[in-house]
Amino acid sequence: MFKDIDFAAIGIIITVITAVSSLTWWLSVQFASVKALVFEKIGLTEKIIVEKIEYHERHDDTRFAQIREELSELRIRNAAKDTMMASMLTRLEKLNGK
């Protein structure tokens, strides 16, 4: 029964199958660790970018609020100047007799 079987060939086949399966397992572990590392770094990068964007949005909001406040002050000042000019023109017209 075992007379025609070449044990060397069977040994080589078993060795090749074992080597390929063990290398496949090792590579899958390596890829899994690299994948986990990449996802971790992507998560950290995303967190940093989101924090910076939120900081700049808050800063922009405060700056725009300051600009709105300054614009309203300028409008009030201009309205006061226009009112003063109108009253001065009326007084001048009264003085000139028009």
Side-chain angles (χ1 to χ4, degrees):
M1 177 172 170
F2 293 113
K3 293 178 186 177
D4 294 335
I5 297 177
D6 189 7
F7 287 110
I10 293 175
I12 290 173
I13 291 172
I14 291 174
T15 304
V16 168
I17 290 173
T18 305
V20 167
S21 62
S22 64
L23 284 174
T24 303
W25 173 78
W26 180 78
L27 280 174
S28 70
V29 169
Q30 295 301 316
F31 283 130
S33 66
V34 168
K35 180 181 169 184
L37 179 66
V38 166
F39 283 145
E40 177 187 345
K41 295 301 178 183
I42 287 173
L44 288 174
T45 304
E46 178 188 16
K47 181 181 174 186
I48 291 170
I49 289 172
V50 166
E51 285 175 358
K52 289 191 181 286
I53 288 173
E54 287 175 354
Y55 167 78
H56 285 290
E57 285 177 352
R58 284 192 308 270
H59 178 69
D60 289 346
D61 289 345
T62 56
R63 183 64 187 133
F64 287 141
Q66 287 174 349
I67 289 172
R68 268 188 242 110
E69 214 173 285
E70 291 171 2
L71 283 174
S72 64
E73 288 176 8
L74 285 174
R75 286 184 185 128
I76 291 170
R77 193 176 315 147
N78 284 339
K81 285 181 183 178
D82 289 345
T83 306
M84 287 174 48
M85 287 299 291
S87 67
M88 286 175 61
L89 284 175
T90 0
R91 286 183 194 163
L92 283 174
E93 287 174 357
K94 283 181 184 177
L95 288 174
N96 288 335
K98 290 185 179 179

